[in-house]
Amino acid sequence: MSTSVLPAFIDALMAAATTALPDVTVADCWPVSLNSGDWLLIGVDDAEASRTIGASGTQVYPHAQRLTRDESAEVHAVIWCAHDDDDVKGARDAAFAILAAVEALLRASITLDVASVWKASMAAWSYTPHRLADYGSTVAEIQFSITYEARI
């Protein structure tokens, strides 16, 4: 019996996002360097923090026999679109296009074909625009999370 569905869910999310977003760098956690371009960071809750929480979850026993567990989890992610110009709208539009693509892949397969997951969906998100003199760019950042429910 598996301890958690989380590793398989992140693997499936990485594979689906990489396929759906060929022009975006999809990273499992932090990349070595975050530079210009369009990024999807899975397992990151804040693109500018030195430490982040990648996911959190809970498990409960739904039956007295304790033969199965219900797992509810939230996987954090960040979209980071850094454009080498002063075009805030362009960076924002790129970031929301990535968010829309992630939502579309979850609508197309609410389980991401992970055994025992019965529902996955987009949860909360927040948008922050930046003008970064250090990078010489305009950045649109969206922090969001995906939740799932599974029986293991």
Side-chain angles (χ1 to χ4, degrees):
M1 180 183 299
S2 175
T3 300
S4 175
V5 174
L6 182 66
F9 187 81
I10 290 176
D11 290 347
L13 182 57
M14 285 289 303
T18 300
T19 300
L21 297 161
D23 297 327
V24 174
T25 303
V26 180
D28 190 348
C29 193
W30 272 99
V32 174
S33 65
L34 188 61
N35 50 26
S36 65
D38 296 336
W39 295 77
L40 173 57
L41 310 175
I42 296 173
V44 174
D45 67 348
D46 185 346
E48 297 184 274
S50 60
R51 277 183 68 152
T52 66
I53 297 173
S56 58
T58 60
Q59 292 182 358
V60 296
Y61 291 100
H63 307 290
Q65 295 88 3
R66 297 182 178 242
L67 299 175
T68 61
R69 296 180 313 278
D70 286 346
E71 180 173 271
S72 299
E74 181 175 30
V75 177
H76 303 287
V78 171
I79 296 165
W80 177 270
C81 293
H83 294 193
D84 295 330
D85 54 31
D86 197 32
D87 183 10
V88 174
K89 179 180 172 18
R92 180 179 58 241
D93 289 350
F96 275 93
I98 294 168
L99 187 66
V102 172
E103 182 179 15
L105 70 88
L106 289 168
R107 285 178 186 247
S109 173
I110 64 169
T111 66
L112 291 179
D113 296 325
V114 176
S116 76
V117 170
W118 59 270
K119 177 181 76 169
S121 61
M122 185 80 67
W125 59 266
S126 63
Y127 160 70
T128 307
H130 306 275
R131 283 197 170 94
L132 300 177
D134 293 348
Y135 292 98
S137 62
T138 300
V139 174
E141 177 182 352
I142 298 176
Q143 299 173 351
F144 70 102
S145 57
I146 296 169
T147 59
Y148 71 81
E149 304 285 333
R151 171 135 316 156
I152 53 178

